[in-house]
């Protein structure tokens, strides 16, 4: 059962402690590359390596980024690799036999549980998605699980859907990088041959049967390769000392693009843009092309490698230098109805920042999910400490024969209230504090199922492109699937991505501000509860209690909570983005 049905999985940074996510390391797409994912809880991780028998990298090595929770990643331009990991502070990880790890072929690999696992020969990016096919004769098996080390699902777990790939199998899918789980029906449990629960530590697709858990494949992002077609009314091929010169006249002012399998997209761009970006795209690796033209009512074809196009938009012409690969010896010099079919335009040529925009949108969205989940955690802490202060303060006033203050409900959001002692309530009723608690209460209400996603969006100002849902691991905020997964590319996709970024940036700031303020209020209230205990141990008067609950508490809120401003939070988030290497060019 898909946890977020119909949405793009963007909750890659879910964590009860800190943000996840990070920009992927980039190298030239034309080079042979090795992508290394490393399963670790280190805050900083470095890859010390030598590739293709070259010298070792300078210590501590290449800094790795955090693509999603629990993993570090980097890409090295090499076809073989010897390497080890360190945290930059003297701690090292090699193979348990004492040797360095080694990789002998290009591809994408995961290092986890003392093993180097090949994930893909083609894709360089792994998605944090776990899919599970389960062979069973149970009529209604339920999966009880813990994803990303967050809280466990409810005692009954979640029902599994029918597998679309395997008959008599059940299926479960979740956006997560790790999963501990067991399956049960009523009181019958399947939690592995050793009885210690099943463990998935690497994202991907898995098959479970007769107590054996096997990884089928990783869930990866394919590299997108665009093919192009250039049409012209006439064409001429002239021999030169180094090969041929091909000139096309009467070129159309638009050029059609389409992707190689398995991606299925198409686009039409300006021919001027196509040739303006030629050098940036192909560089020292010129493309091959099929030349097809009509000569005396006969279609003739040849294959060339194309170099150095000179495009003239005023005359709708272009001239290439070319070398022959096949068929040029049979060609004539002049043709009509010419068609050039050109290979290998990688994604990002015409809108080169689209991949960066997409990754940035995913980062911001993952941040929003993480913060929303944190707000739910803070709610529980606030409720517990306020209840403790209520009980402690009332008892202490009673102990000294003073009037016991009343406990009053403070309305936070959508009818949700906190019951607080009158003097504490006056602090919570500060407009700023109540505003931060609105986000806390809204997150709690959604997570508990008391309000729906629409009410949550209204209470916390969720951008219109986004929606939210409560899951077994917290709150997931997602950008609507039509933001990315549509049939359009290029400028339209750029516009959609920019719109999403511009909506998510202020929203992330708003709820991060609420989270930081709520955490600080929680710290202050915990301090207040500790101060009450200290007063009780050393002796106190009504004046002491009043000063603590009214003066000190109010002063701390004024000096510590209200100083958390838009500006200070923006500075905090900017430092965080710099630390993970985020692309922030279009945040403003």
């Amino acid at each position: 059962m898909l946890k977020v049905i119909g949405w793009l999985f963007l909750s890659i940074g879910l964590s009860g402690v800190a943000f996840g996510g990070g920009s992927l390391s980039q190298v030239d797409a034309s080079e042979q590359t090795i992508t290394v994912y490393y399963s670790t809880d280190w805050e900083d991780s470095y890859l010390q390596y030598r590739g293709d028998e070259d010298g070792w990298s300078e210590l501590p090595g290449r800094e790795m980024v955090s693509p999603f929770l629990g993993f570090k990643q980097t890409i090295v331009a090499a076809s073989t690799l010897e390497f080890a990991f360190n945290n930059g502070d003297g701690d090292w990880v090699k193979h348990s036999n004492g040797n360095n790890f080694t990789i002998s072929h290009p591809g994408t690999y995961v290092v986890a549980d003392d093993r180097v696992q090949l994930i893909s020969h083609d894709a360089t990016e792994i998605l944090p998605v776990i899919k599970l096919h389960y062979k069973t004769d149970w009529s209604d098996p339920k999966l009880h699980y813990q994803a990303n080390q967050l809280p466990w699902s409810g005692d009954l777990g979640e029902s599994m859907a029918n597998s679309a790939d395997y008959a008599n199998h059940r299926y479960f899918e979740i956006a997560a990088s790790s999963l501990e789980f067991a399956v049960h029906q009523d009181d019958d449990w399947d939690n592995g041959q050793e009885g210690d629960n099943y463990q998935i530590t690497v994202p991907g697709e898995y098959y479970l049967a007769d107590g054996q858990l096997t990884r089928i494949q990783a869930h990866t992002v394919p590299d997108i390769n665009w093919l192009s077609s250039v049409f012209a009314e006439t064409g001429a091929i002239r021999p030169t000392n180094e090969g041929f010169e091909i000139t096309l006249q009467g070129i159309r002012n638009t050029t059609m693009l389409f992707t190689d399998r398995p991606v299925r997209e198409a686009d039409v761009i300006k021919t001027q843009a196509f040739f303006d970006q030629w050098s940036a795209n192909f560089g020292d690796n010129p493309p091959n092309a099929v030349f097809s033209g009509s000569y005396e009512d006969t279609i003739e074809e040849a294959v060339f490698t194309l170099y150095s196009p000179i495009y003239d938009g005023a005359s709708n012409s272009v001239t290439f230098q070319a070398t022959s690969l096949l068929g040029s010896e049979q060609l004539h010099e002049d043709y009509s109805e010419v068609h050039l079919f050109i290979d290998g335009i990688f994604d990002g040529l015409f809108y080169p920042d689209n991949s960066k925009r997409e990754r940035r949108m995913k980062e911001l969205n993952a941040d929003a999910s993480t913060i929303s989940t944190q707000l739910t955690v803070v709610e529980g802490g606030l409720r517990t400490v306020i209840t403790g202060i209520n009980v402690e303060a009332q008892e202490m006033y009673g102990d000294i024969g003073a009037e016991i203050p009343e406990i009053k409900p403070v309305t936070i959001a959508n009818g949700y209230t906190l019951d607080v002692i009158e003097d504490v309530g006056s602090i919570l009723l500060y407009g700023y504090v109540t505003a931060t608690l609105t986000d806390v209460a809204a997150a709690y209400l959604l997570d508990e199922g008391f309000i729906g996603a629409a009410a949550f969006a209204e209470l916390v100002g969720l951008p219109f492109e986004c929606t939210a849902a409560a899951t077994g691991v917290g709150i997931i905020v997602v950008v609507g699937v039509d933001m990315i997964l549509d049939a359009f590319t290029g400028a339209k996709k750029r516009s959609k991505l920019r719109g999403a970024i511009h909506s998510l940036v202020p929203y992330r700031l708003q709820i991060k501000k609420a989270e930081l303020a709520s955490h600080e209020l929680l710290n202050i209230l915990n301090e207040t509860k500790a101060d009450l205990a200290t007063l009780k141990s050393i002796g106190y008067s009504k004046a002491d209690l009043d000063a603590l609950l009214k003066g000190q508490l109010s002063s701390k809120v004024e000096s510590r909570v209200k100083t958390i401003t838009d500006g200070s939070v923006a500075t905090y988030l900017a430092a965080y983005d710099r630390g993970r290497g985020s692309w922030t060019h279009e945040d403003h």
Side-chain angles (χ1 to χ4, degrees), residues 16-87:
V17 179
F19 290 123
S23 299
L24 296 175
S25 305
Q26 297 297 315
V27 296
D28 190 327
S30 66
E31 297 176 326
Q32 285 193 315
T33 62
I34 294 175
T35 303
V36 179
Y37 283 81
Y38 174 43
S39 175
T40 180
D41 58 3
W42 279 344
E43 182 176 351
D44 297 310
S45 183
Y46 298 85
L47 186 80
Q48 173 71 355
Y49 71 94
R50 60 175 179 174
D52 297 334
E53 303 300 325
D54 293 336
W56 284 93
S57 56
E58 184 177 348
L59 288 171
R62 174 175 293 181
E63 184 173 8
M64 305 181 76
V65 299
S66 300
F68 47 80
L69 186 68
F71 283 81
K72 298 291 185 177
Q73 180 265 7
T74 192
I75 303 177
V76 178
S79 56
T80 65
L81 203 65
E82 180 181 357
F83 62 97
F85 304 100
N86 71 89
N87 65 354

Coordinates of all heavy atoms in Angstrom, one line a residue, residues 16-87:
G16 N 13.1 12.8 13.3 CA 12.6 13.4 14.5 C 13.7 14.3 15.1 O 13.4 14.8 16.2
V17 N 14.9 14.4 14.6 CA 15.9 15.1 15.2 C 16.4 16.3 14.3 O 16.6 17.4 14.8 CB 17.1 14.2 15.5 CG1 18.3 14.9 16.2 CG2 16.7 13.0 16.4
A18 N 16.7 16.0 13.1 CA 17.3 17.1 12.2 C 16.8 16.9 10.8 O 16.2 15.9 10.5 CB 18.8 17.0 12.3
F19 N 17.2 17.9 10.0 CA 16.9 17.8 8.6 C 17.6 16.7 8.0 O 18.6 16.2 8.5 CB 17.3 19.1 7.9 CG 16.5 20.3 8.2 CD1 17.1 21.4 8.7 CD2 15.1 20.3 8.0 CE1 16.4 22.6 9.0 CE2 14.4 21.5 8.3 CZ 15.1 22.6 8.8
G20 N 17.1 16.2 6.8 CA 17.9 15.3 6.0 C 18.0 16.0 4.6 O 17.6 17.1 4.4
G21 N 18.5 15.3 3.7 CA 18.6 15.8 2.3 C 19.9 16.5 2.0 O 20.7 16.8 2.9
G22 N 20.2 16.7 0.8 CA 21.5 17.4 0.4 C 21.6 17.3 -1.1 O 21.1 16.4 -1.8
S23 N 22.5 18.2 -1.6 CA 22.7 18.2 -3.1 C 23.6 17.0 -3.4 O 24.6 16.7 -2.7 CB 23.3 19.5 -3.5 OG 22.4 20.5 -3.2
L24 N 23.4 16.4 -4.6 CA 24.3 15.3 -5.0 C 25.5 15.9 -5.6 O 25.5 16.9 -6.3 CB 23.5 14.4 -6.1 CG 22.3 13.7 -5.6 CD1 21.6 13.0 -6.7 CD2 22.7 12.7 -4.5
S25 N 26.6 15.2 -5.4 CA 27.9 15.6 -6.1 C 27.7 15.5 -7.6 O 27.1 14.5 -8.1 CB 29.0 14.7 -5.6 OG 29.1 14.8 -4.2
Q26 N 28.3 16.4 -8.3 CA 28.2 16.4 -9.7 C 29.5 16.2 -10.4 O 30.5 16.7 -10.0 CB 27.6 17.7 -10.2 CG 26.2 17.9 -9.7 CD 25.2 16.8 -10.2 OE1 25.2 16.5 -11.3 NE2 24.4 16.3 -9.3
V27 N 29.6 15.4 -11.5 CA 30.7 15.3 -12.4 C 30.2 15.4 -13.8 O 29.0 15.3 -14.1 CB 31.5 14.0 -12.2 CG1 32.1 14.0 -10.8 CG2 30.6 12.8 -12.4
D28 N 31.1 15.5 -14.8 CA 30.8 15.6 -16.2 C 30.1 14.3 -16.6 O 30.6 13.2 -16.4 CB 32.0 15.8 -17.0 CG 31.7 16.1 -18.5 OD1 30.7 15.6 -19.0 OD2 32.5 16.8 -19.1
A29 N 28.9 14.4 -17.2 CA 28.1 13.2 -17.5 C 28.8 12.4 -18.6 O 28.5 11.2 -18.7 CB 26.7 13.6 -18.0
S30 N 29.8 12.9 -19.3 CA 30.4 12.2 -20.4 C 31.5 11.3 -19.8 O 32.0 10.4 -20.5 CB 31.1 13.1 -21.4 OG 32.1 13.9 -20.8
E31 N 32.0 11.5 -18.5 CA 33.0 10.7 -17.9 C 32.5 9.4 -17.4 O 31.3 9.3 -17.0 CB 33.7 11.5 -16.8 CG 34.4 12.7 -17.3 CD 35.0 13.5 -16.1 OE1 34.4 13.5 -15.0 OE2 36.0 14.2 -16.3
Q32 N 33.4 8.4 -17.3 CA 33.0 7.2 -16.5 C 33.0 7.5 -15.1 O 34.0 8.1 -14.6 CB 34.0 6.0 -16.8 CG 33.8 5.4 -18.2 CD 34.6 4.1 -18.3 OE1 35.7 4.1 -17.9 NE2 34.0 3.1 -18.9
T33 N 32.0 7.1 -14.4 CA 31.9 7.6 -13.0 C 31.5 6.4 -12.1 O 30.9 5.4 -12.5 CB 30.8 8.7 -12.8 OG1 29.5 8.1 -13.2 CG2 31.1 9.9 -13.7
I34 N 31.9 6.6 -10.8 CA 31.5 5.7 -9.7 C 30.8 6.5 -8.7 O 31.3 7.5 -8.2 CB 32.7 4.9 -9.1 CG1 33.3 4.0 -10.2 CG2 32.3 4.1 -7.9 CD1 34.6 3.3 -9.7
T35 N 29.5 6.1 -8.4 CA 28.8 6.8 -7.4 C 28.8 5.9 -6.1 O 28.5 4.7 -6.2 CB 27.3 7.0 -7.8 OG1 27.3 7.8 -9.0 CG2 26.5 7.8 -6.7
V36 N 29.1 6.5 -5.0 CA 29.2 5.8 -3.7 C 28.2 6.3 -2.7 O 28.3 7.5 -2.4 CB 30.6 5.8 -3.1 CG1 30.7 5.1 -1.8 CG2 31.7 5.3 -4.1
Y37 N 27.3 5.5 -2.3 CA 26.4 5.8 -1.1 C 27.0 5.0 0.1 O 27.3 3.8 0.0 CB 25.0 5.3 -1.4 CG 24.2 6.2 -2.3 CD1 24.4 6.1 -3.7 CD2 23.3 7.1 -1.8 CE1 23.7 7.0 -4.6 CE2 22.6 8.0 -2.7 CZ 22.8 7.9 -4.0 OH 22.1 8.7 -4.9
Y38 N 27.0 5.7 1.2 CA 27.6 5.1 2.5 C 26.6 5.2 3.6 O 26.1 6.3 3.9 CB 28.9 5.8 2.8 CG 29.5 5.4 4.1 CD1 29.5 4.1 4.5 CD2 30.0 6.3 5.0 CE1 30.1 3.7 5.8 CE2 30.6 6.0 6.2 CZ 30.6 4.6 6.6 OH 31.2 4.3 7.8
S39 N 26.2 4.1 4.2 CA 25.2 4.1 5.3 C 26.0 4.4 6.6 O 26.8 3.7 7.0 CB 24.6 2.7 5.4 OG 23.7 2.6 6.5
T40 N 25.6 5.6 7.2 CA 26.3 6.0 8.4 C 25.5 7.0 9.1 O 24.6 7.7 8.5 CB 27.7 6.7 8.0 OG1 28.3 7.1 9.2 CG2 27.5 7.9 7.1
D41 N 25.8 7.2 10.4 CA 25.1 8.2 11.2 C 26.1 9.3 11.5 O 25.8 10.2 12.3 CB 24.6 7.6 12.5 CG 25.6 6.9 13.4 OD1 26.8 6.9 13.0 OD2 25.2 6.4 14.4
W42 N 27.3 9.3 10.9 CA 28.2 10.4 11.1 C 27.6 11.7 10.5 O 26.9 11.7 9.5 CB 29.5 10.2 10.3 CG 30.5 9.3 10.9 CD1 30.5 8.9 12.2 CD2 31.6 8.6 10.3 NE1 31.5 8.0 12.5 CE2 32.2 7.8 11.3 CE3 32.1 8.6 9.0 CZ2 33.4 7.1 11.1 CZ3 33.2 7.8 8.8 CH2 33.8 7.1 9.8
E43 N 27.8 12.8 11.2 CA 27.4 14.1 10.8 C 28.2 14.5 9.6 O 27.7 15.1 8.6 CB 27.5 15.1 11.9 CG 27.0 16.5 11.5 CD 27.0 17.5 12.6 OE1 27.3 17.1 13.8 OE2 26.8 18.7 12.4
D44 N 29.5 14.3 9.6 CA 30.4 14.6 8.5 C 31.1 13.3 8.0 O 31.5 12.5 8.8 CB 31.5 15.6 8.9 CG 30.9 16.9 9.3 OD1 30.1 17.5 8.5 OD2 31.3 17.4 10.4
S45 N 31.2 13.1 6.7 CA 31.8 11.9 6.2 C 32.7 12.3 5.0 O 32.2 13.1 4.1 CB 30.7 10.9 5.8 OG 31.3 9.7 5.3
Y46 N 33.8 11.6 4.9 CA 34.8 11.9 3.8 C 35.2 10.6 3.1 O 35.4 9.6 3.8 CB 36.0 12.6 4.3 CG 35.7 14.0 4.9 CD1 35.3 14.1 6.2 CD2 35.8 15.2 4.2 CE1 35.1 15.3 6.8 CE2 35.5 16.4 4.7 CZ 35.2 16.5 6.0 OH 34.9 17.7 6.6
L47 N 35.3 10.7 1.8 CA 35.8 9.5 1.0 C 37.3 9.7 0.7 O 37.6 10.6 -0.1 CB 35.0 9.4 -0.3 CG 35.3 8.1 -1.1 CD1 34.6 6.9 -0.5 CD2 34.9 8.3 -2.5
Q48 N 38.1 9.0 1.3 CA 39.6 9.0 1.0 C 39.8 7.9 -0.1 O 39.5 6.7 0.2 CB 40.4 8.7 2.3 CG 41.9 8.5 2.0 CD 42.6 9.8 1.6 OE1 41.9 10.9 1.5 NE2 43.9 9.8 1.5
Y49 N 40.3 8.3 -1.2 CA 40.2 7.3 -2.4 C 41.4 7.6 -3.3 O 42.1 8.6 -3.3 CB 38.9 7.5 -3.1 CG 38.8 8.8 -3.9 CD1 39.2 8.8 -5.3 CD2 38.4 10.0 -3.3 CE1 39.1 10.0 -6.0 CE2 38.3 11.1 -4.0 CZ 38.7 11.2 -5.4 OH 38.6 12.3 -6.1
R50 N 41.6 6.6 -4.2 CA 42.4 6.7 -5.4 C 41.6 6.0 -6.5 O 41.2 4.9 -6.3 CB 43.8 6.2 -5.2 CG 43.9 4.7 -4.9 CD 45.4 4.3 -4.9 NE 45.6 2.9 -4.5 CZ 46.8 2.3 -4.6 NH1 47.8 3.0 -5.0 NH2 46.9 1.0 -4.3
G51 N 41.5 6.6 -7.6 CA 40.8 6.1 -8.7 C 41.7 5.8 -9.9 O 42.6 6.6 -10.2
D52 N 41.5 4.7 -10.6 CA 42.2 4.3 -11.8 C 43.7 4.3 -11.5 O 44.5 4.8 -12.3 CB 41.9 5.2 -12.9 CG 40.4 5.1 -13.3 OD1 39.8 4.0 -13.1 OD2 39.9 6.1 -13.9
E53 N 44.1 3.8 -10.3 CA 45.6 3.7 -9.9 C 46.2 5.1 -9.8 O 47.5 5.2 -9.8 CB 46.3 2.8 -10.9 CG 45.8 1.4 -11.1 CD 45.7 0.7 -9.8 OE1 46.7 0.8 -9.0 OE2 44.8 -0.1 -9.5
D54 N 45.5 6.2 -9.7 CA 46.1 7.5 -9.5 C 46.5 7.6 -8.1 O 46.3 6.7 -7.3 CB 45.1 8.6 -9.9 CG 44.8 8.6 -11.4 OD1 45.6 8.2 -12.1 OD2 43.7 9.1 -11.7
G55 N 47.0 8.7 -7.7 CA 47.4 9.0 -6.3 C 46.2 9.1 -5.4 O 45.1 9.4 -5.9
W56 N 46.5 9.0 -4.1 CA 45.4 9.2 -3.1 C 44.9 10.6 -3.0 O 45.7 11.6 -3.2 CB 45.9 8.7 -1.8 CG 45.9 7.2 -1.7 CD1 47.0 6.4 -1.9 CD2 44.9 6.3 -1.3 NE1 46.7 5.1 -1.7 CE2 45.4 5.0 -1.4 CE3 43.5 6.5 -1.0 CZ2 44.6 3.9 -1.1 CZ3 42.7 5.4 -0.7 CH2 43.3 4.1 -0.8
S57 N 43.7 10.8 -2.8 CA 43.1 12.1 -2.5 C 43.7 12.7 -1.3 O 44.2 12.0 -0.4 CB 41.6 12.1 -2.4 OG 41.2 11.2 -1.4
E58 N 43.8 14.1 -1.2 CA 44.3 14.8 -0.1 C 43.4 14.6 1.1 O 42.2 14.7 1.1 CB 44.5 16.2 -0.4 CG 45.1 17.1 0.7 CD 45.3 18.5 0.3 OE1 45.1 18.8 -0.9 OE2 45.6 19.3 1.2
L59 N 44.0 14.3 2.3 CA 43.3 14.0 3.5 C 42.5 15.3 3.9 O 42.9 16.4 3.7 CB 44.2 13.7 4.7 CG 44.8 12.2 4.6 CD1 45.9 12.1 5.7 CD2 43.7 11.2 4.8
P60 N 41.3 15.1 4.5 CA 40.6 13.8 4.8 C 39.9 13.2 3.7 O 39.3 12.1 3.9 CB 39.6 14.3 5.9 CG 39.2 15.6 5.5 CD 40.5 16.3 4.9
G61 N 40.0 13.7 2.5 CA 39.4 13.1 1.3 C 38.2 14.0 0.8 O 38.1 15.2 1.3
R62 N 37.4 13.5 -0.1 CA 36.3 14.3 -0.6 C 35.1 14.2 0.4 O 34.7 13.2 0.8 CB 35.9 13.7 -1.9 CG 34.6 14.3 -2.5 CD 34.3 13.8 -3.9 NE 35.3 14.2 -4.9 CZ 35.2 13.9 -6.1 NH1 34.2 13.2 -6.6 NH2 36.1 14.3 -7.0
E63 N 34.6 15.4 0.7 CA 33.5 15.5 1.6 C 32.2 15.0 0.9 O 31.9 15.3 -0.3 CB 33.2 16.9 2.0 CG 32.1 17.1 3.1 CD 32.0 18.5 3.6 OE1 32.7 19.4 3.1 OE2 31.2 18.7 4.6
M64 N 31.5 14.1 1.6 CA 30.3 13.5 1.1 C 29.1 14.3 1.5 O 29.1 14.9 2.6 CB 30.2 12.1 1.5 CG 31.4 11.2 1.2 SD 31.3 9.5 1.7 CE 30.2 8.8 0.4
V65 N 28.0 14.3 0.7 CA 26.8 15.0 1.0 C 25.7 14.1 1.5 O 25.9 12.9 1.4 CB 26.3 15.8 -0.2 CG1 27.3 16.9 -0.7 CG2 25.9 14.9 -1.4
S66 N 24.6 14.6 2.0 CA 23.5 13.8 2.5 C 22.3 13.8 1.6 O 21.5 14.7 1.7 CB 23.1 14.4 3.9 OG 24.2 14.3 4.8
P67 N 22.2 12.8 0.7 CA 21.1 12.8 -0.2 C 19.8 12.5 0.5 O 18.7 13.0 0.0 CB 21.5 11.7 -1.2 CG 22.3 10.8 -0.4 CD 23.1 11.7 0.5
F68 N 19.8 11.7 1.5 CA 18.6 11.4 2.3 C 19.1 10.8 3.6 O 20.3 10.5 3.9 CB 17.6 10.5 1.6 CG 18.2 9.3 0.9 CD1 18.6 8.2 1.7 CD2 18.5 9.3 -0.4 CE1 19.1 7.1 1.0 CE2 19.0 8.2 -1.1 CZ 19.3 7.1 -0.3
L69 N 18.1 10.6 4.5 CA 18.4 10.2 5.9 C 19.2 8.9 6.0 O 18.9 7.9 5.3 CB 17.1 10.1 6.7 CG 17.3 9.8 8.2 CD1 17.8 11.0 8.9 CD2 15.9 9.4 8.8
G70 N 20.4 9.0 6.8 CA 21.1 7.8 7.0 C 22.2 7.4 6.0 O 22.9 6.4 6.2
F71 N 22.4 8.3 5.0 CA 23.3 8.0 3.9 C 24.1 9.2 3.6 O 23.6 10.3 3.7 CB 22.6 7.4 2.7 CG 22.2 6.0 2.8 CD1 21.0 5.7 3.4 CD2 23.0 5.0 2.3 CE1 20.6 4.3 3.6 CE2 22.6 3.6 2.4 CZ 21.4 3.3 3.0
K72 N 25.4 9.0 3.2 CA 26.2 10.0 2.5 C 26.5 9.5 1.1 O 26.5 8.3 0.8 CB 27.5 10.2 3.3 CG 27.3 10.6 4.8 CD 26.9 12.1 4.8 CE 26.8 12.5 6.3 NZ 26.4 14.0 6.4
Q73 N 26.8 10.5 0.3 CA 27.0 10.2 -1.2 C 28.0 11.1 -1.8 O 28.2 12.2 -1.4 CB 25.7 10.3 -1.9 CG 25.7 10.0 -3.4 CD 25.9 11.2 -4.2 OE1 26.1 12.3 -3.8 NE2 25.8 11.1 -5.5
T74 N 28.7 10.5 -2.8 CA 29.6 11.3 -3.7 C 29.8 10.6 -5.0 O 29.6 9.4 -5.1 CB 31.0 11.6 -3.0 OG1 31.6 12.6 -3.8 CG2 31.8 10.4 -3.0
I75 N 30.2 11.3 -6.0 CA 30.5 10.8 -7.3 C 31.9 11.0 -7.7 O 32.4 12.2 -7.6 CB 29.5 11.4 -8.4 CG1 28.1 11.2 -8.0 CG2 29.8 10.8 -9.8 CD1 27.1 11.8 -9.0
V76 N 32.6 10.0 -8.2 CA 34.0 10.1 -8.5 C 34.2 9.8 -10.0 O 33.6 8.8 -10.5 CB 34.9 9.2 -7.7 CG1 36.4 9.3 -8.1 CG2 34.8 9.5 -6.2
A77 N 34.9 10.6 -10.7 CA 35.2 10.3 -12.1 C 36.3 9.3 -12.2 O 37.5 9.6 -12.2 CB 35.6 11.6 -12.9
A78 N 35.9 8.0 -12.3 CA 36.9 6.9 -12.4 C 36.2 5.7 -12.8 O 35.0 5.6 -12.7 CB 37.5 6.7 -11.0
S79 N 36.9 4.7 -13.3 CA 36.4 3.4 -13.7 C 36.7 2.3 -12.6 O 36.1 1.3 -12.6 CB 36.9 3.0 -15.0 OG 38.3 2.9 -15.1
T80 N 37.7 2.6 -11.8 CA 38.0 1.7 -10.6 C 38.3 2.6 -9.4 O 38.7 3.7 -9.5 CB 39.2 0.8 -10.9 OG1 40.4 1.6 -11.0 CG2 39.0 -0.1 -12.1
L81 N 38.1 2.0 -8.2 CA 38.2 2.8 -7.0 C 38.7 1.9 -5.9 O 38.2 0.8 -5.6 CB 36.8 3.4 -6.7 CG 36.8 4.7 -5.8 CD1 37.5 5.8 -6.6 CD2 35.4 5.0 -5.4
E82 N 39.6 2.5 -5.1 CA 40.0 1.9 -3.8 C 39.8 3.0 -2.8 O 40.1 4.2 -3.0 CB 41.5 1.5 -3.8 CG 42.0 1.0 -2.4 CD 43.4 0.6 -2.4 OE1 44.1 0.7 -3.4 OE2 43.9 0.2 -1.3
F83 N 39.1 2.7 -1.7 CA 38.7 3.8 -0.8 C 38.4 3.3 0.6 O 38.3 2.1 0.9 CB 37.4 4.4 -1.4 CG 36.2 3.5 -1.5 CD1 35.2 3.5 -0.5 CD2 36.1 2.7 -2.5 CE1 34.2 2.6 -0.6 CE2 35.0 1.8 -2.7 CZ 34.0 1.8 -1.7
A84 N 38.3 4.3 1.5 CA 37.9 4.1 2.9 C 37.1 5.4 3.3 O 37.2 6.4 2.6 CB 39.0 3.8 3.8
F85 N 36.4 5.3 4.5 CA 35.7 6.5 4.9 C 36.3 7.0 6.3 O 36.8 6.2 7.0 CB 34.2 6.1 5.2 CG 33.5 5.5 4.0 CD1 33.3 4.1 3.9 CD2 33.0 6.3 3.0 CE1 32.7 3.6 2.8 CE2 32.4 5.8 1.9 CZ 32.2 4.4 1.8
N86 N 36.1 8.3 6.5 CA 36.5 8.9 7.8 C 35.6 10.0 8.1 O 34.9 10.6 7.2 CB 37.9 9.3 7.8 CG 38.2 10.5 7.0 OD1 38.1 11.6 7.4 ND2 38.6 10.2 5.7
N87 N 35.5 10.4 9.3 CA 34.6 11.5 9.7 C 35.3 12.9 9.9 O 34.8 13.8 10.4 CB 33.9 11.2 11.1 CG 34.9 11.1 12.2 OD1 36.1 11.1 12.1 ND2 34.3 10.9 13.4

